[in-house]
Amino acid sequence: MNNINKLKIFNDPIYGFVSITNPLIYDLIQHPYFQRLRRISQMGMSYLVYPGAHHTRFHHALGCMHIMQKTVQVLRFKGVEISEAEENALYIAILLHDIGHGPFSHAMEHSIVEDVNHESISLLFMDKLNREFNGELDLAIKIFKGEYHRKFMLHLISSQLDMDRMDYLKRDSFYSGVAEGNINSERLIQMLDVQNDMLVIEEKGIYSVEKFLVARRLMYWQAYLHKTSLAAELVLTKILKRAKELTQHGRILTASSPLQFFLQNKISLEDFNDKVLYTFSMLDDFDVISAIKEWRFEDDFVLSNLCRMLIDRDLPKIRLQSEKVSKDEVKKLRDEFVLKYKLTEKEADYFVFKGKIKNQAYNKTDEPIHILKKDRTVEDVVEASDQLNLKALSKPVTKYYLCFPKVLLEKAVI
């Protein structure tokens, strides 16, 4: 294909027209590994609460690349030298930062792969693509791993005010309709600068940073950690764990061959050779949802009822509280459940369980958000702000939950 034909524009509902500025970026977007992100939802099970939240990781990755383009323009305008090679590496690194996400993302990480996080898988995909593209991703990978000498470039990709967060807050707010999450990413980008190899925000942008942090806190409580979304994600995790447990005991469940592979094998990071990576790249939301639709009719009480809960959106009751849930309360509910359905305690644990969630909008122990003051000194945003609420936002808030069945199991087919 003629390279000129690879310089495309596409329409994004958030930013308007977004440009693909070089042939390598086009080829990466066209690659099956990246196209797969069209079939991975950005907000997991949140569409069960917010019907519009059906956007994908593909959407998000392209949005991140677009605001990285804007950021490079702003930094160059302010005298920050960024070579063409560095510019392309930044676009590649942000474009591929989420390429390792599995179906429904975090539910996968805790069930059918053995505690392998998506960042590690993203890096494996990047290494594989680098081999296919004859080393053209070398610099992008170096930046992504934090091994490049210009540290501010890593902060553009992964920090408390990176392109990833700027896009997902704006995008998730737009598609879910949770207006409190909307941020002014354009203003934030215009305020960016680099001082002593640190990414900084000019002092006059401090209110936009405060709004960004408040929006992040509200999006977590209202969307990402919404109790119904949480219940759905927990049920999904339990479904995949139960399916894996049954498969490991010799039960043959209906599933696509890539999903079947991960149910049958214990896969840790060390096991991710090229063949496993290829099999992982064949997995998406459709494999999981179609399997769950089939598993509703399995004769295993646990699997079939969990699957019905999710497909029919008849989710368990979840109660959030600020104190820890007592073991006695869990035991009492579980014992009732065991008695009612003649299950083992281990089976009942799939339906009655407790846990905790944490929300921290700003973490002072991570790389801070630096505010560049008029006298060219740099200060942590919490110290620079005249708002006491930023100190509050940097304290982690933990909530405890208790999950137990409600209506569905009254009418369960046993």
Side-chain angles (χ1 to χ4, degrees), residues 301 304-305 308 337 341 407-414:
F301 177 93
S304 60
N305 279 296
R308 276 197 203 97
F337 197 69
Y341 293 106
V407 185
L408 177 70
L409 291 161
E410 295 299 324
K411 58 185 182 193
V413 179
I414 303 172

Side-chain angles (χ1 to χ4, degrees), residues 88-356:
N88 287 334
L90 284 170
Y91 298 162
I92 292 165
I94 197 66
L95 188 72
L96 303 180
H97 78 282
D98 266 353
I99 200 169
H101 270 290
F104 300 106
S105 309
H106 306 292
M108 282 285 291
E109 291 173 18
H110 303 298
S111 49
I112 68 171
V113 290
E114 311 289 311
D115 292 321
V116 185
N117 62 41
H118 68 270
E119 290 90 353
S120 305
I121 302 174
S122 291
L123 208 43
L124 293 171
F125 274 126
M126 287 165 89
D127 285 334
K128 180 77 170 68
L129 287 166
N130 197 28
R131 296 200 297 277
E132 283 186 34
F133 286 90
N134 305 314
E136 289 193 77
L137 279 69
D138 278 346
L139 185 52
I141 291 170
K142 218 171 173 184
I143 292 170
F144 187 81
K145 289 165 84 170
E147 292 172 358
Y148 192 55
H149 67 279
R150 304 187 77 186
K151 292 299 177 198
F152 81 88
M153 292 192 175
L154 171 64
H155 300 154
L156 288 170
I157 290 150
S158 178
S159 68
Q160 299 200 73
L161 191 64
D162 57 23
M163 304 299 108
D164 176 33
R165 290 183 185 190
M166 278 195 215
D167 182 81
Y168 78 60
L169 283 175
K170 201 167 179 62
R171 189 169 299 278
D172 295 352
S173 163
F174 176 87
Y175 281 97
S176 65
V178 178
E180 290 81 0
N182 194 12
I183 58 160
N184 191 348
S185 52
E186 293 83 0
R187 170 129 177 108
L188 284 166
I189 288 165
Q190 290 299 327
M191 294 297 110
L192 285 172
D193 203 345
V194 174
Q195 177 89 340
N196 302 328
D197 198 31
M198 278 187 304
L199 194 63
V200 295
I201 289 268
E202 291 176 25
E203 190 173 16
K204 59 190 174 187
I206 194 164
Y207 302 119
S208 301
V209 177
E210 288 175 6
K211 167 81 166 62
F212 167 84
L213 293 173
V214 170
R216 188 163 184 266
R217 174 180 173 270
L218 294 175
M219 274 303 281
Y220 267 84
W221 287 133
Q222 259 185 276
Y224 311 132
L225 297 176
H226 183 289
K227 64 181 191 172
T228 307
S229 303
L230 179 63
E233 190 152 311
L234 290 166
V235 168
L236 176 59
T237 306
K238 299 277 181 191
I239 287 169
L240 293 171
K241 277 190 170 164
R242 182 61 171 179
K244 185 153 190 168
E245 187 185 349
L246 293 172
T247 305
Q248 305 268 311
H249 284 94
R251 176 80 72 99
I252 305 295
L253 298 174
T254 307
S256 67
S257 50
L259 182 54
Q260 199 71 259
F261 173 82
F262 285 96
L263 292 175
Q264 287 169 0
N265 298 284
K266 288 192 170 173
I267 303 293
S268 61
L269 191 57
E270 293 70 46
D271 303 311
F272 262 88
N273 56 27
D274 280 0
K275 186 167 180 287
V276 172
L277 191 66
Y278 175 76
T279 309
F280 185 86
S281 78
M282 294 286 105
L283 262 186
D284 56 49
D285 290 6
F286 295 94
D287 297 79
V288 173
I289 289 294
S290 59
I292 290 172
K293 284 171 68 183
E294 291 291 328
W295 296 343
R296 284 178 298 171
F297 308 108
E298 286 292 329
D299 60 9
D300 177 70
F301 177 93
V302 175
L303 185 62
S304 60
N305 279 296
L306 288 172
C307 290
R308 276 197 203 97
M309 283 178 166
L310 204 60
I311 295 296
D312 298 342
R313 199 195 177 276
D314 196 353
L315 297 164
K317 179 87 176 150
I318 188 164
R319 200 177 74 210
L320 288 178
Q321 57 191 56
S322 47
E323 306 81 38
K324 285 185 178 177
V325 178
S326 75
K327 284 182 182 171
D328 290 346
E329 193 172 2
V330 178
K331 186 177 184 315
K332 181 173 174 288
L333 283 166
R334 193 183 58 206
D335 290 350
E336 279 177 31
F337 197 69
V338 165
L339 202 62
K340 184 164 187 177
Y341 293 106
K342 299 174 179 54
L343 301 175
T344 65
E345 283 194 2
K346 194 178 171 204
E347 288 170 329
D349 282 340
Y350 277 97
F351 297 95
V352 181
F353 51 89
K354 62 177 182 145
K356 65 179 178 181

Side-chain angles (χ1 to χ4, degrees), residues 26-39:
Y26 177 87
D27 289 337
L28 287 168
I29 291 169
Q30 283 292 89
H31 196 282
Y33 288 169
F34 192 81
Q35 288 292 318
R36 163 184 162 273
L37 296 180
R38 290 182 185 272
R39 303 183 299 279

Side-chain angles (χ1 to χ4, degrees), residues 6-25:
K6 295 182 178 182
L7 306 180
K8 302 281 186 189
I9 59 169
F10 58 88
N11 206 338
D12 182 272
I14 312 285
Y15 308 115
F17 290 111
V18 173
S19 306
I20 296 172
T21 52
N22 73 59
L24 175 58
I25 296 285

